[in-house]
């Protein structure tokens, strides 16, 4: 560690410490720097070190330590105000506000002392000539905290009425406080209106929009603006996560999870910050955190997860129930301390109300992985439950209704009848239906049970239904691997049922059922190569011929309509296998229409998916999207979660392909939700999150995209998802992080992606990623690492024959060399190489397009060469001249670049004391734009700059 020997060294060390992450290590360093300052025997050094220490304490979990350095600063000011320079004088008065808020947050400081401090603050501000705005803001905070609402309203009005001056909080912080008061008074919409300038980026500071994003979450949920709430959570959590001092804001994100059906994510957030349970330096934020922990763990207990392990204070294992009790006790004890100090019950009342909040959304998908599934709340994708009535007659009636309308719940309904009836008396027909549905529920293993159903149907006097049950058993035998036996049995059953039908001893429904089983068996044999397609087709066509020969079934006879629909679906399969895609699609659409007419649209889902696949093969993306949307609509609550994932993902890809990225985002988001529900978070869920991150990035929602992509990368595996998916996710994440200013992290992602792409046969992606990584490394100030990455990219561009990007890598390396202060020789050499490479490529250019692009690149290289030499104090005029000539050869397409080079040359001439040359170049630019479009921003900028240089020269 560098020794502090003078004020300049102290200031450098304090600036360096200020950039370190919030926390005890930074605080400890500030304490060391104060000791060093005291050894310099320079009063201002001690003042600045005390100010630095106070600042780092304020932005940490050790806020209670800031009163000591402030008291010392105030004593120094009262004794020797002349030792303070203008900046430190301003800073001293500024942190009066921190002391006011800081005292309020510490329940051991008496309210009388706080009120006395307000008076002292008002007196000193008046003496210094400051406005009352900051004082009234501090008074408002005190009144609002203790629940003196009338005083708070008066102080609030006085705060806003007072003039803003240099002691007023920044606009972002003031708007944050104003919005909080609107929420406190039950005016959520007004709060969001107040916060809009912060949320939209008009105002910001070190802690905004962090706090506003967190505070907006519950109001947005209450207003039903769930999409905004989700976006604010993903964006805001990314901002507060690295900031130790923002425990209260972090708690609001946990609270959002508890109120939006994301309890598992709330637990994940608790696990990330174990110190938040026990850090005591800021009791008020600890109270907020513990109240929210109580809310979350109570919710988990309510969901039946009270005995599940959860993260909590270190030193023991916690269940949700245990942690809820502990957090409630701690929170109420803290609230009682505040109320005892304040003389009101306001803090305790608000704490109890917060802990008792109820969920505002059943389940709000966030797009990030749920670490482990919580019990599913009821949702639109939960099939309707059977009637609550439990008497046997009611259960029988419901089971018959569900079976007659082909509801998937019929199997469970007949099982409920069986349980309710026990060994009691039931009609043979009902016993037959129980056995029939149980056999169906068992799949191929239930083949023998159909025989029991058939016996019961026969005993009930329904020989046709007995044959139908045996035919279903034969089909299940085929599925079990006994196709020949199954065909022999169903052929005999078909002959029997035809004879019964001819003798009017059974109906069309039973006959169609047997014929459909025969058609299914023959279709199964055709698929497996054990039978001929023509035999299957003939068997399939018998079903609609029978049904429609009997007269078109009405919609109330769902079973017969469904038989016809299934027949069209089978014929579509045969047509597709024969290469008739158009015919197959038409037959599938007929099948869908029949199922919808029968009132069982969920049976049409598979066929709509097949229509979509055929449409995509034919290049009809619009029809594919229509069919997939119809599949979702038809399936409703009966589409399994895994099916929901695939449908939403395919729709997302189609909508994104036609530019509807917002719609694609919503479908990808739904896909992530259903993947978690399906237990496929690490497989289809990771893929869905990868797509979602890409769509968010395309909309410029980089913070949200980064959260989603980081979540995806936790599960993306080359062996499961393909290395291309991993590379793309890291590439997108690097783009997000670069946009967010996290350059070092962006470089890491780009280098990781490049290391995978380096093994690919085609090396363009490898080169691009290496180049992008170099850009990020340079922005992060890692000059040597950036140079190596540009060199790696340059070698790849050279091998790929991409002169344009090779030249750009050389130019970037030249600028890095200049940044290293190692002299201009290396920088000039790299620029000269860039010129040489570009000139050689120009000689070999094969067409006018390549010629124009290379000419522009050479011109730009000369322009930058001139800039580099000028910056290094050398003669860059020759290169500027060359750039101007080359840009000029491009005609109107090179006008703006040419004038920019002219102005750069004019600026250099001015600096070198050649006003005549500068004036001449400025006039050239003005002449170039003499008749140019006044609405063009570049034109206006160039003219203004030329006029300025001309005025200076003259």
């Amino acid at each position: 560690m560098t020794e502090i020997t003078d004020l300049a060294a102290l200031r450098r060390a304090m600036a360096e410490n200020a950039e370190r992450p919030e926390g005890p290590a930074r605080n400890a360093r500030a304490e060391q720097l104060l000791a060093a300052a005291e050894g310099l025997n320079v009063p201002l050094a001690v003042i600045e070190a005390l100010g630095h220490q106070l600042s780092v304490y304020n932005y940490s979990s050790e806020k209670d330590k800031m009163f000591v350095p402030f008291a010392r600063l105030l004593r120094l000011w009262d004794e020797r105000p002349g030792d303070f320079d203008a900046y430190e004088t301003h800073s001293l008065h500024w942190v009066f506000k921190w002391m006011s808020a800081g005292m309020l947050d510490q329940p051991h400081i008496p309210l009388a002392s706080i009120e006395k401090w307000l008076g002292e603050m008002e007196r000193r501000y008046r003496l210094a000539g400051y406005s009352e705005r900051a004082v009234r803001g501090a008074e408002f905070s005190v009144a609002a905290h203790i629940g003196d609402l009338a005083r708070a309203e008066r102080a609030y009005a006085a705060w806003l009425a007072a003039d803003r001056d240099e002691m007023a909080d920044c606009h972002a912080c003031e708007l944050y406080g104003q919005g909080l008061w609107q929420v406190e008074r039950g005016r959520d919409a007004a709060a969001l209106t107040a916060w809009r300038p912060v949320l939209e980026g008009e105002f910001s500071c070190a802690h905004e929009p962090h706090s506003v994003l967190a505070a907006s979450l519950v109001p947005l949920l209450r207003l039903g603006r769930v999409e905004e709430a989700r976006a604010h959570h993903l964006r805001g959590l990314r901002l507060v996560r690295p900031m130790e001092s923002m425990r209260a804001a972090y708690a609001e994100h946990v609270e959002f999870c508890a109120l939006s059906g994301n309890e598992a994510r709330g637990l994940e957030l608790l696990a990330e910050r174990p110190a938040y349970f026990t850090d005591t330096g800021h009791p008020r934020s600890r109270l907020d955190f513990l109240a929210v922990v109580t809310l979350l763990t109570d919710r988990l207990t309510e969901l039946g997860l009270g005995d599940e392990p959860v993260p909590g204070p270190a030193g023991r294992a916690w269940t949700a129930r245990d942690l809820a009790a502990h957090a409630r006790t701690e929170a109420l004890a803290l609230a009682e301390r505040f109320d005892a100090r304040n003389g009101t019950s306001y803090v305790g009342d608000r704490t109890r109300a917060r802990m008792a909040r109820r969920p505002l959304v059943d389940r709000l998908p966030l797009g990030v992985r749920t670490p482990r599934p919580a019990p599913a709340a009821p949702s639109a994708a939960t099939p309707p439950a059977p009637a609550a009535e439990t008497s046997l007659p009611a259960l029988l009636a419901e089971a018959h209704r569900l079976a007659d309308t082909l509801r998937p719940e019929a199997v469970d309904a007949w099982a409920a009848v069986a349980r309710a009836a026990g060994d009691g008396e039931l009609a043979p027909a009902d016993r037959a239906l129980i056995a029939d549905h149980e056999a169906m529920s068992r799949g191929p293993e239930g083949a023998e049970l159909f025989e029991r159903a058939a016996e019961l149907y026969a005993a009930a006097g329904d020989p046709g239904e007995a044959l139908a049950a045996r035919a279903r058993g034969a089909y299940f035998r085929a599925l079990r691997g006994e196709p020949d036996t199954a065909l022999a049995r169903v052929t005999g059953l078909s002959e029997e049922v035809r004879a019964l039908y001819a003798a009017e001893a059974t109906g069309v429904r039973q006959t169609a059922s047997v014929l459909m089983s025969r058609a299914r068996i023959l279709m199964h044999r055709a698929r497996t190569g054990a039978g001929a397609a023509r035999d299957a087709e003939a068997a399939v066509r018998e079903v609609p011929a029978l049904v429609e020969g009997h007269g078109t079934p009405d919609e109330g006879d769902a079973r017969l309509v469904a038989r016809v629909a299934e027949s069209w679906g089978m014929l579509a399969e045969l047509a597709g296998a024969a290469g008739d895609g158009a015919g197959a699609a038409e037959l599938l659409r007929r099948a869908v229409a029949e199922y919808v007419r029968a009132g069982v649209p969920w049976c049409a889902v598979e066929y709509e998916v097949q229509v979509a696949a055929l449409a995509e093969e034919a290049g009809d993306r619009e029809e594919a999207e229509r069919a997939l949307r119809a599949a979702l609509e038809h399936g409703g609550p009966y589409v399994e979660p895994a099916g929901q994932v695939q449908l939403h993902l395919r729709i997302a890809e189609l909508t994104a392909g036609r530019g509807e990225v917002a719609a694609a985002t919503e479908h990808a988001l739904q896909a992530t939700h259903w993947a978690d529900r399906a237990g496929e978070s690490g497989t289809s869920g990771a893929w869905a999150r990868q797509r979602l991150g890409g769509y968010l990035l395309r909309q410029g929602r980089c913070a949200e995209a980064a959260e989603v992509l980081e979540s995806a990368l936790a599960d993306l595996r080359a062996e499961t998802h393909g290395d291309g998916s991993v590379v793309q996710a890291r590439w997108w994440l690097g783009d997000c992080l670069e946009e967010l200013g996290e350059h070092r992290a962006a470089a890491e992602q780009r280098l990781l992606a490049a290391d995978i792409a380096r093994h690919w046969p085609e090396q363009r992606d490898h080169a691009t990623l290496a180049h992008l990584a170099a850009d990020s490394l340079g922005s992060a100030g890692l000059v040597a690492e950036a140079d190596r990455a540009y060199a790696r990219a340059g070698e790849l561009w050279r091998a790929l024959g991409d002169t344009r990007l090779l030249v750009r890598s050389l130019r970037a390396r030249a600028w890095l060399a200049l940044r290293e202060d190692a002299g201009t020789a290396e920088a000039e050499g790299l620029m000269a190489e860039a010129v040489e490479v570009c000139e050689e490529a120009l000689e070999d250019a094969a067409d006018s397009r390549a010629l124009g692009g290379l000419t522009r690149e050479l011109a730009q290289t000369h322009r930058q060469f001139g800039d580099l030499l000028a910056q290094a104090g050398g003669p860059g005029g020759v290169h500027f001249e060359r750039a101007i000539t080359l840009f000029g050869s491009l005609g109107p397409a090179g006008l703006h670049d040419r004038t920019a080079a002219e102005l750069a040359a004019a600026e250099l001439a001015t600096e070198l004391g050649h006003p005549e040359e500068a004036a001449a170049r400025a006039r050239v630019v003005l002449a170039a734009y003499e008749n140019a479009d006044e609405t063009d921003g570049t034109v206006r900028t160039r003219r203004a700059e030329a006029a300025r240089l001309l005025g200076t020269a003259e």
Side-chain angles (χ1 to χ4, degrees), residues 434-447 449-450 453 476:
I434 289 171
D436 206 351
H437 282 84
E438 183 182 352
M440 285 186 270
S441 73
R442 294 186 183 183
E445 301 308 314
L449 192 54
F450 281 112
F476 276 35

Side-chain angles (χ1 to χ4, degrees), residues 671-911:
T672 67
H673 164 65
W674 288 112
D676 288 341
R677 286 284 297 271
E680 296 181 359
S681 295
T683 51
S684 62
W687 173 249
R689 275 178 260 281
Q690 191 249 28
R691 303 310 303 168
L692 174 60
Y695 298 145
L696 289 167
L697 175 59
R698 284 175 63 178
Q699 296 174 78
R701 296 160 66 179
C702 294
E704 298 168 65
E707 283 289 305
V708 170
L709 289 166
E710 286 172 348
S711 180
L713 282 164
D715 291 310
L716 280 173
R717 299 289 180 271
E719 55 273 18
T720 304
H721 305 92
D723 55 8
S725 298
V726 180
V727 166
Q728 186 63 81
R730 293 200 183 281
W731 194 327
W732 282 335
L733 179 55
D735 290 348
C736 293
L737 296 170
E738 186 69 17
E739 187 66 27
L740 294 169
E742 299 177 38
H743 305 299
R744 186 186 292 261
E748 180 183 358
Q749 293 300 324
R750 289 167 166 177
L751 288 171
L752 287 169
D755 281 342
I756 298 173
R758 69 188 301 178
H759 302 294
W760 294 353
E762 212 293 313
Q763 287 288 284
R764 180 160 292 274
D765 284 341
H766 179 200
T768 303
L769 285 162
H771 201 126
L772 290 171
D775 291 343
S776 297
L777 290 165
S779 298
L782 301 171
V783 175
E785 293 86 345
D787 182 70
R788 286 195 294 272
Y790 279 126
R792 174 183 176 186
E795 292 169 3
L796 292 164
W797 294 131
R798 196 185 301 274
L800 289 164
D802 194 321
T803 300
R804 181 176 62 90
L805 291 171
L806 168 59
V807 166
R808 292 184 181 184
S809 70
L810 289 167
R811 293 200 307 248
R813 292 183 66 198
W815 284 109
L816 288 173
L818 192 65
R819 275 171 68 180
E820 283 288 80
D821 294 328
T824 60
E826 184 179 351
E828 288 185 47
L830 288 162
M831 277 292 184
E833 184 181 352
V835 169
E836 182 181 350
V837 167
C838 215
E839 288 176 341
E840 289 175 356
L842 268 170
E843 292 176 3
D844 299 330
D847 55 62
S848 58
R849 183 177 178 183
L851 186 66
L854 288 168
T855 299
R856 181 180 296 278
E857 207 62 52
L858 180 59
Q860 189 62 250
T861 303
H862 278 295
R863 159 69 199 274
Q864 290 195 33
F865 207 161
D867 286 337
L868 183 142
L869 290 172
Q871 190 169 320
V878 172
H879 292 287
F880 282 130
E881 201 61 55
R882 182 67 177 133
I884 291 165
T885 302
L886 287 165
F887 282 131
S889 71
L890 298 173
L895 174 61
H896 290 332
D897 287 321
R898 178 171 67 84
T899 55
E902 285 278 14
L903 291 171
E907 190 73 57
L908 178 61
T910 299
E911 291 175 4

Side-chain angles (χ1 to χ4, degrees), residues 5 187 268 284 292 316 348 378 386 389 393 428 516 536 539 556 571 590 594 649 696 812 861 871 911 931 936 944:
T5 58
R187 300 186 285 260
E268 187 178 52
R284 194 171 178 184
V292 165
R316 58 163 286 188
E389 179 65 57
M516 179 54 73
L571 293 172
R590 286 184 68 180
E594 290 295 323
L649 274 178
L696 289 167
T861 303
Q871 190 169 320
E911 291 175 4
N931 299 310
D936 187 321

Side-chain angles (χ1 to χ4, degrees), residues 12-30:
R12 286 194 297 272
M14 290 190 297
E16 180 183 315
N17 194 45
E19 295 300 316
R20 299 175 73 180
E22 294 178 354
R26 186 170 75 156
N27 295 355
R29 177 59 175 154

